[in-house]
Amino acid sequence: MADVSLLSASDQSDPTIRKLVQVTGWAVTLIGCLVALLLLRDDPVQWGRVVLNLCAGLVGVAALALVHLRRWLLAAHVLVWGVWVFVSLVAAGNGGVKGPNLLNYPVLIVLSGWLLGGRATMCLLALTGGLFGFFLWADARGALPVTPANNHYAYAAYLAGIVGLTATATLLSRRSYLGRVGEAQDMAADLAARDTELRKLLRVVEQSPESTVITDLQGRIEFVNDAFVARTGYARSEVIGQLSSAFSGNGLAPAQLAGLQETLARGESWAGEQANVRKDGVTIWESVVVAPIRQPDGRISHHVELKQDMSERKRAAEEIHRLAHFDPLTSLPNRSMLIERLTGLQARHQRAPDALNALLLLDLDRFTTFNDARGSEMGDRLLCAVALRLSERLGGQDLLVRVAADEFGIVLHGLSADAAAAGRRALVFAEQVAQALAQPLPLGLQAGDAAEEAQLQASIGITLYPQGVDDLPLNAMGRAGTALHRAKHGGGARAAFFEQGMGEVAAQRFHLERDLRHAIGAQELRLYVQPQVDGRGEFTGGEALVRWQHPRDGLVPPGVFIPVAEESDLIVGLGDWVLAQACAVLAMPAFSQRRLRMSVNLSARQFRQASFVPNLRALLATTGADPTLLTLEVTEGLVIEDFDDAVAKMRELVAMGLEFALDDFGTGYSSLAYLKRLPIRELKIDRSFVTEAPTNADDGALVEAILSVASHFGLRVVAEGVETREQVRFLEQRQPDMVYQGYLFGRPEPVAQWVERLAL
Ligand code: C2E
Ligand code: CA
Ligand code: CA
């Protein structure tokens, strides 16, 4: 145990004890001086005793001086040890144990006990014991001087002083002691009160429904409450001492986490949401406050994390969102989702106009009758079956919603930038939907419950969306509604466009495509060939041009059906058919022996087929056609789409001996940079320039420019649509070895007529 002194070298010591030092100092001074003074009355004066008492008094003075300097402990030491030395000297002179001075020792021991603490007092006790032993031993040997005759006054003064000092010291010490006991009691009461307060707070924290975590400044967990244990599934022993970040903050993005740490480093509180993972792996959403815990001196010692479970609230919010945005019967999104989607599409359109979308409103025909006849439960089942069937027809981005009772809305995404094409696609979709609904819809609760089936027809209203940057979702709904109304009015079971003209065009194109698909298989295509001649009027070859012998409409020109075919994969089959026919003709001796060339038009989609080159190679091999007599006509548009791929294919074919012609030259981009890199042998001047060339100066100049480009690149030139002698004159003046193609020299004729004529 440490030796506790009630005095310290500095100013911190007990004031009562300090007083004791002071009083003792005075007492020693007074007693020493008074006794010395009284001893002067002895006769003869014993100077030794006088001096010793005076020295004792001076010890008191020295102590007082140190008190003045606030060196309390030193003053106490000087007092105790100084007085002890002089008293011992006086005692030795006064006969040792027989002298009157022994009274001093108990007083000194008491003073030392209070002022200097246990260790010093033990020393003092030991010294005093030793001294007494020495006195007894010396006395027994008669070595000590005999007790001198008493000076009664001095003795009385000495006794009074000693007794008074003892009393004062005891009372002062008692006061100090009692004061301390009182303080200790107050402190104990205070501590007990605080303890109660703390227990109360701890219980609050413990039982709080908010999960509470207290960490040290390094983030190591020191405390978690019951709510934390219950919510996360971690036992206390698993988390105490671990980093808190291992159990929370998992839902924070790195930037958020950095923000949290920064806020805490500034000594501020952070509040936010976190997705934290329970021990069983389930994610819970918590609203979290992290706050610093400060000590009374303002220093931050810990952080507390208070977390509120939000999963329930989140689930409720999601449920509310679901109820607000989804139809409970079919689980399809509802009208408000439709509006939301249309709004989003409009915003996208405003940023960058791209492909058009279509909004379809579909209403079941005679649903009310069905409902009345078979009951509303069957009605509900029918609606669910329709929802299912419709959703099977949707593309990934498309949206199907239930707008009202038996009305569904469909948004078809990104149909085409071209309104006509977009309209056609929407109509194709509507047709497919009508067919899908016409198939029996199962209404039984179990699959295959054949008795419970229904067949349906529906009316569909269609509009394209958005029509301009200020087209609103509600406008589109209105348009589709009007169209739907029209379809219903027309007797139902049909689709109607809001844009009526578009409806008709789309329907025509739609039927055309359907018929054409049939035509290719049904041998309704015909190959026509138009002659090409040189300046002397000699045949150089011909261009293969396709016709469609329609069973009802007669001969259909390609301008009508080629664009439709080009929008679908039909062009591939059609183009292959033409190529096969052309090669068959080329292979005929009448053709090949005269080295007549055959030009065949190529479409972009057809040329883009990966199998195009190998197929053509195989075709040439099987027909035996001479590849060097085949010219493929391509347009700039075809080349531009995927320039590198197109050029690679062209080079491959050129290597086989084929030639390429650039068709309709002058109408497209006519970029010389492209021209330079394309492996072409022929330019075909478009009919539009040829027609006006002799009469219109601009067209004339353009033809001249084309001719100079052609001669620069060393290309053969074919003039298309030559109908008059003037045109020929104009052209031959500028380009003597021009090739002509036009009604002036011959119209496209069925290939059979050609073959016949050549055979003659
Ligand atoms: P094109 O390649 O520019 O073909 C020339 C067109 O001009 C042909 O129309 C031809 O009959 C017409 N024409 C020729 N000389 C004259 C003339 O003196 N006066 C007038 N007014 N017209 C003349 P056609 O046969 O109706 O073909 C139209 C377009 O259809 C062709 O334009 C071509 O782009 C396309 N086409 C025709 N057959 C095929 C084919 O087999 N495959 C592909 N991909 N496209 C074809
Ligand atoms: Ca052509
Ligand atoms: Ca042409």
Side-chain angles (χ1 to χ4, degrees):
M1 207 174 73
D3 184 24
V4 182
S5 165
L6 297 175
L7 276 177
S8 73
S10 67
D11 231 357
Q12 307 282 313
S13 38
D14 183 332
T16 323
I17 296 295
R18 283 192 331 226
K19 186 142 214 157
L20 184 58
V21 176
Q22 211 168 6
V23 167
T24 311
W26 278 111
V28 169
T29 308
L30 286 178
I31 297 169
C33 292
L34 192 62
V35 170
L37 219 58
L38 291 171
L39 283 175
L40 286 178
R41 288 165 45 102
D42 280 355
D43 190 22
V45 175
Q46 299 186 18
W47 286 105
R49 292 176 68 190
V50 172
V51 168
L52 283 178
N53 279 290
L54 204 60
C55 285
L58 285 177
V59 166
V61 173
L64 287 176
L66 286 170
V67 164
H68 189 69
L69 294 172
R70 316 189 78 79
R71 307 290 303 272
W72 308 99
L73 192 60
L74 192 57
H77 275 290
V78 165
L79 270 178
V80 171
W81 298 113
V83 171
W84 188 86
V85 168
F86 289 109
V87 164
S88 300
L89 288 174
V90 172
N94 282 357
V97 283
K98 291 190 189 119
N101 307 80
L102 293 193
L103 218 52
N104 265 307
Y105 292 100
V107 176
L108 279 175
I109 286 169
V110 169
L111 276 176
S112 165
W114 282 110
L115 299 179
L116 301 181
R119 204 173 300 148
T121 309
M122 296 308 283
C123 272
L124 192 68
L125 212 55
L127 274 177
T128 309
L131 186 70
F132 278 20
F134 168 71
F135 282 162
L136 289 171
W137 173 78
D139 191 42
R141 308 189 70 185
L144 284 178
V146 280
T147 311
N150 242 335
N151 178 330
H152 293 288
Y153 294 109
Y155 191 52
Y158 164 72
L159 278 184
I162 288 296
V163 171
L165 180 60
T166 309
T168 312
T170 307
L171 288 177
L172 278 173
S173 306
R174 183 175 181 271
R175 190 161 92 188
S176 163
Y177 169 75
L178 289 181
R180 273 166 190 277
V181 169
E183 258 173 38
Q185 278 169 347
D186 287 352
M187 208 186 282
D190 196 34
L191 275 177
R194 282 192 202 198
D195 190 49
T196 321
E197 194 73 7
L198 265 180
R199 274 176 203 286
K200 209 160 63 192
L201 287 177
L202 188 65
R203 258 197 302 281
V204 171
V205 173
E206 270 296 349
Q207 291 165 13
S208 158
E210 286 191 19
S211 105
T212 307
V213 179
I214 296 176
T215 68
D216 64 12
L217 293 182
Q218 280 69 51
R220 292 198 182 279
I221 299 180
E222 291 190 356
F223 168 89
V224 294
N225 69 351
D226 292 345
F228 177 91
V229 172
R231 193 180 300 161
T232 62
Y234 286 106
R236 278 198 172 76
S237 57
E238 287 176 288
V239 296
I240 301 287
Q242 303 296 316
L243 283 176
S244 157
S245 52
F247 306 98
S248 68
N250 304 310
L252 291 186
Q256 257 181 313
L257 211 59
L260 188 160
Q261 274 148 8
E262 239 170 65
T263 313
L264 291 183
R266 281 200 307 271
E268 294 168 12
S269 303
W270 179 92
E273 285 183 15
Q274 294 179 342
N276 294 327
V277 183
R278 295 196 323 213
K279 191 180 179 183
D280 59 9
V282 174
T283 300
I284 41 171
W285 275 95
E286 294 182 309
S287 144
V288 181
V289 175
V290 187
I293 300 180
R294 288 178 188 279
Q295 294 307 307
D297 59 2
R299 188 175 48 86
I300 297 173
S301 62
H302 293 84
H303 286 119
V304 60
E305 300 173 11
L306 303 172
K307 306 176 183 185
Q308 221 173 13
D309 190 1
M310 300 211 314
S311 305
E312 218 27 69
R313 217 190 311 161
K314 274 234 174 263
R315 251 195 300 283
E318 273 163 19
E319 181 64 13
I320 289 168
H321 179 270
R322 201 182 63 74
L323 287 177
H325 291 81
F326 287 85
D327 164 44
L329 175 66
T330 59
S331 299
L332 289 180
N334 63 14
R335 188 174 181 278
S336 67
M337 284 279 268
L338 177 63
I339 302 282
E340 224 168 76
R341 176 67 65 89
L342 292 175
T343 309
L345 287 175
Q346 172 61 276
R348 208 162 81 178
H349 180 74
Q350 282 170 356
R351 281 198 301 277
D354 57 1
L356 281 162
N357 316 288
L359 169 64
L360 284 73
L361 284 183
L362 178 147
D363 192 281
L364 305 182
D365 293 340
R366 285 177 294 284
F367 177 71
T368 326
T369 321
F370 177 92
N371 227 5
D372 291 345
R374 301 185 63 180
S376 60
E377 199 205 320
M378 283 310 238
D380 283 356
R381 287 198 208 165
L382 179 70
L383 290 173
C384 290
V386 168
L388 188 66
R389 178 100 8 128
L390 289 178
S391 60
E392 283 163 0
R393 301 234 57 93
L394 292 190
Q397 278 197 310
D398 301 340
L399 176 74
L400 168 67
V401 309
R402 184 173 172 217
V403 179
D406 62 334
E407 195 174 313
F408 295 85
I410 297 164
V411 179
L412 299 177
H413 273 244
L415 294 176
S416 168
D418 171 50
R424 246 178 346 265
R425 300 238 164 98
L427 196 69
V428 170
F429 179 84
E431 191 85 6
Q432 290 169 345
V433 162
Q435 277 172 20
L437 291 183
Q439 304 299 313
L441 287 162
L443 300 184
L445 291 175
Q446 284 107 32
D449 199 345
E452 306 284 8
E453 277 185 352
Q455 249 163 311
L456 270 195
Q457 286 180 333
S459 304
I460 303 176
I462 311 172
T463 186
L464 296 183
Y465 181 82
Q467 304 190 356
V469 288
D470 45 8
D471 194 10
L472 297 174
L474 287 181
N475 293 348
M477 297 282 282
R479 289 200 300 273
T482 307
L484 176 61
H485 188 71
R486 206 180 288 143
K488 282 255 174 218
H489 240 60
R494 70 191 62 197
F497 260 93
F498 174 78
E499 301 80 5
Q500 271 173 314
M502 170 177 294
E504 284 151 27
V505 172
Q508 265 178 19
R509 297 283 289 250
F510 174 63
H511 292 128
L512 190 70
E513 187 182 322
R514 195 185 56 193
D515 292 353
L516 184 59
R517 196 173 290 277
H518 171 255
I520 296 172
Q523 310 287 321
E524 288 173 16
L525 297 180
R526 302 283 178 270
L527 189 72
Y528 276 54
V529 179
Q530 183 175 31
Q532 295 178 339
V533 301
D534 62 15
R536 295 187 306 277
E538 300 276 327
F539 283 145
T540 59
E543 178 178 359
L545 294 161
V546 68
R547 301 285 182 267
W548 175 11
Q549 188 66 53
H550 195 283
R552 186 187 64 225
D553 301 342
L555 202 64
V556 184
V560 175
F561 63 89
I562 290 287
V564 177
E566 279 177 336
E567 268 182 30
S568 66
D569 57 337
L570 283 177
I571 192 67
V572 178
L574 188 148
D576 285 350
W577 182 86
V578 173
L579 264 176
Q581 297 296 308
C583 285
V585 173
L586 264 186
M588 290 176 182
F591 226 83
S592 58
Q593 277 162 12
R594 297 180 192 206
R595 309 272 327 139
L596 293 178
R597 306 193 59 80
M598 181 69 92
S599 295
V600 176
N601 294 288
L602 275 192
S603 281
R605 195 193 277 256
Q606 181 190 359
F607 191 54
R608 233 185 292 133
Q609 302 289 313
S611 58
F612 180 78
V613 176
N615 281 358
L616 181 53
R617 194 192 298 269
L619 182 67
L620 287 165
T622 48
T623 54
D626 181 354
T628 61
L629 296 178
L630 183 60
T631 301
L632 296 179
E633 296 191 4
V634 295
T635 55
E636 284 162 291
L638 172 145
V639 179
I640 273 168
E641 256 178 54
D642 186 352
F643 190 83
D644 293 333
D645 179 63
V647 170
K649 280 181 174 160
M650 284 167 80
R651 286 194 197 289
E652 213 176 322
L653 292 167
V654 165
M656 284 159 58
L658 279 86
E659 286 182 10
F660 278 92
L662 202 53
D663 205 357
D664 306 337
F665 191 72
T667 60
Y669 313 87
S670 305
S671 154
L672 291 182
Y674 276 132
L675 207 56
K676 203 175 110 189
R677 291 172 56 196
L678 288 176
I680 49 168
R681 284 296 309 278
E682 181 179 299
L683 277 189
K684 296 190 80 173
I685 308 178
D686 191 65
R687 182 163 65 88
S688 55
F689 306 118
V690 172
T691 308
E692 303 265 323
T695 48
N696 179 313
D698 282 347
D699 284 349
L702 225 133
V703 168
E704 278 170 0
I706 292 172
L707 292 179
S708 86
V709 168
S711 86
H712 175 82
F713 288 110
L715 302 176
R716 184 168 65 227
V717 184
V718 179
E720 285 184 319
V722 182
E723 294 181 350
T724 65
R725 286 274 151 220
E726 285 75 57
Q727 290 161 352
V728 177
R729 256 196 302 281
F730 179 91
L731 292 165
E732 74 182 349
Q733 273 166 15
R734 287 160 180 80
Q735 177 93 4
D737 50 1
M738 172 79 76
V739 176
Y740 304 91
Q741 179 182 350
Y743 292 172
L744 184 65
F745 302 100
R747 291 186 176 247
E749 284 174 326
V751 71
Q753 286 181 24
W754 256 81
V755 175
E756 240 173 64
R757 188 156 356 121
L758 289 175
L760 289 178

